[in-house]
Amino acid sequence: MQPSIPRPTVIAAIIVGMTVLTLAGFLLPALWYEIAERREAGHLLLALTGVGAAFGLYARLLWQNLMRRTAPVHRLGLAAIALICWALPPLLDTGQGWGNALLVPAGLIAVVLPVREAIAVTAAATVLTPIYGVILGLPALTVLYEVTGVPLGAFSGYVTVWLFHVVQELREVRAELARSAVGEERLRFARDLHDVLGHSLQAVALRAEVAERFVERDDGRVRKELTEIQTMARDAVRDVREVVRGYRTTSLRTELDGMSAVLRAAGIRCERPEVSPALPAHVHEPLGWVAREAATNVLRHSSATWCEITVEAGRDRVRVEIVNDGAGRRAGDAGSGLTGLAERITAAGGEFTAGPAGDGTFRVTAAVPATTEGVA
């Protein structure tokens, strides 16, 4: 699985573009009237200049706040947008849809201003906007729409920016959890190597120093020390192999415990299934590797919100299925992890499949023989 969420800047650009297009839809009838019906160069230039300036400022302020670059000067930008949008209806024609321009600044109130100040400004705008609309002679339905449109626009703008920031924070937390898990594994392996090799290497160094002192005085003693060094070196190599073997050997039950705990810590709903204590010993390592790799993929390379694990033990085969809902937000190649799992399960005489299931989920399935007969 590969990262499924685009870069934050891409998402922010999409949000800004869709917001500006939505606002342009409110003013489209008025602009069309100026272009196709009135056809007066002065009015058209005023309309295009005002709308372009307001939307340009709007897009910039929204982008800056999505990127967490809020500054006090943004208040001036919001005031300029409000001034432009409130000046367009009386300067042009309120009867041709320019009254909708009064709602444009609402979406930025809670984005630019602090929460308490935004609440006060939104309340004031909710009262003043329809009053101004009545003064301009807007239709009653338009005035009523403005009463609800201002608070809804302010709330919508706040929620959009807030959700964007929350999603980015969750991505950062998930990446940090993945880095932490990798770091803990490295520390554990380093600690095991230190415990196993520390004494052996120190003893080898000591024997080498003794041999060096007797190199010109006692050939027999030097040969004896060299023999001891060879023995210690062979023992150290054997110990390293044991550490590596122990590091690579895994258990299905242990891996499922760790997988469910880590995914839950990352905010992904996951329950560990019951694993029968009667499972054959030889199935634990290959299926445990499946659980470990699947957990890594879900945690690091998907945007899943839930993960379901199923373990089925039959007379002929033991089967593990891991499903998550991150397939709809995936992109790119699957990487080498799943290829390695397929090779490992095949070597154990089993079957392995992984890929989108067509319903927005990603499914990993592995089955190995319940007996070792016929397995190379």
Side-chain angles (χ1 to χ4, degrees), residues 31 52 70 77 89 98 115 125 140-141 167 214-215 244 262 294 319:
L31 288 172
T70 305
W98 285 110
V115 175
L141 186 61
V167 169
F214 286 94
V215 70
V244 173
V262 170
R319 179 175 176 271

Side-chain angles (χ1 to χ4, degrees), residues 143-164:
V143 173
L144 180 62
Y145 178 70
E146 289 171 349
V147 173
T148 58
V150 170
L152 286 176
F155 179 74
S156 176
Y158 174 79
V159 169
T160 299
V161 175
W162 179 77
L163 285 176
F164 176 82

Side-chain angles (χ1 to χ4, degrees), residues 31-84:
L31 288 172
W32 181 252
Y33 170 75
E34 298 295 338
I35 296 172
E37 301 293 335
R38 176 178 284 179
R39 298 182 181 179
E40 294 183 10
H43 284 83
L44 180 58
L45 179 62
L46 177 61
L48 294 178
T49 302
V51 172
F55 283 9
L57 275 173
Y58 195 109
R60 179 171 177 78
L61 291 180
L62 182 56
W63 173 268
Q64 293 288 337
N65 284 271
L66 287 171
M67 295 291 103
R68 296 187 182 274
R69 299 171 187 168
T70 305
V73 72
H74 291 175
R75 299 168 184 263
L76 297 178
L78 177 59
I81 294 173
L83 180 62
I84 294 171

Side-chain angles (χ1 to χ4, degrees), residues 210-282:
V210 172
E212 184 182 16
R213 287 200 298 267
F214 286 94
V215 70
E216 296 180 354
R217 293 185 294 168
D218 189 342
D219 291 343
R221 181 64 181 272
V222 171
R223 284 193 294 271
K224 178 181 177 183
E225 297 298 333
L226 290 177
T227 301
E228 290 293 333
I229 290 174
Q230 292 176 7
T231 302
M232 291 179 179
R234 293 191 183 97
D235 291 342
V237 171
R238 186 186 66 250
D239 291 340
V240 169
R241 288 173 178 168
E242 291 298 325
V243 169
V244 173
R245 188 178 299 114
Y247 177 75
R248 296 179 63 187
T249 300
T250 185
S251 164
L252 178 59
R253 186 177 294 104
T254 301
E255 292 299 333
L256 291 179
D257 285 338
M259 177 181 184
S260 58
V262 170
L263 293 184
R264 286 197 300 268
I268 301 172
R269 189 171 69 254
C270 181
E271 298 295 333
R272 185 188 71 82
E274 292 297 325
V275 178
S276 172
L279 282 182
H282 72 275

Side-chain angles (χ1 to χ4, degrees), residues 195 199 261 326:
D195 293 342
H199 175 74

Side-chain angles (χ1 to χ4, degrees), residues 188-376:
R188 186 181 74 85
F189 190 53
R191 185 170 55 250
D192 291 346
L193 282 178
H194 177 272
D195 293 342
V196 170
L197 291 180
H199 175 74
S200 298
L201 293 178
Q202 186 65 32
V204 168
L206 179 60
R207 292 287 185 174
E209 291 175 1
V210 172
E212 184 182 16
R213 287 200 298 267
F214 286 94
V215 70
E216 296 180 354
R217 293 185 294 168
D218 189 342
D219 291 343
R221 181 64 181 272
V222 171
R223 284 193 294 271
K224 178 181 177 183
E225 297 298 333
L226 290 177
T227 301
E228 290 293 333
I229 290 174
Q230 292 176 7
T231 302
M232 291 179 179
R234 293 191 183 97
D235 291 342
V237 171
R238 186 186 66 250
D239 291 340
V240 169
R241 288 173 178 168
E242 291 298 325
V243 169
V244 173
R245 188 178 299 114
Y247 177 75
R248 296 179 63 187
T249 300
T250 185
S251 164
L252 178 59
R253 186 177 294 104
T254 301
E255 292 299 333
L256 291 179
D257 285 338
M259 177 181 184
S260 58
V262 170
L263 293 184
R264 286 197 300 268
I268 301 172
R269 189 171 69 254
C270 181
E271 298 295 333
R272 185 188 71 82
E274 292 297 325
V275 178
S276 172
L279 282 182
H282 72 275
V283 308
H284 279 272
E285 182 169 356
L287 295 182
W289 274 102
V290 171
R292 178 182 293 186
E293 181 64 23
T296 302
N297 286 341
V298 173
L299 184 63
R300 301 182 63 183
H301 302 311
S302 82
S303 55
T305 61
W306 58 263
C307 182
E308 182 177 341
I309 309 168
T310 305
V311 179
E312 298 176 354
R315 296 183 58 184
D316 299 325
R317 288 183 174 269
V318 179
R319 179 175 176 271
V320 171
E321 184 177 82
I322 302 172
V323 184
N324 70 79
D325 64 339
R329 298 173 290 278
R330 286 162 36 87
D333 299 328
S336 60
L338 296 179
T339 302
L341 281 183
E343 295 172 353
R344 187 183 295 273
I345 297 300
T346 301
E351 299 174 353
F352 178 84
T353 59
D359 55 355
T361 62
F362 191 89
R363 191 178 305 269
V364 175
T365 304
V368 297
T371 63
T372 58
E373 298 179 4
V375 180

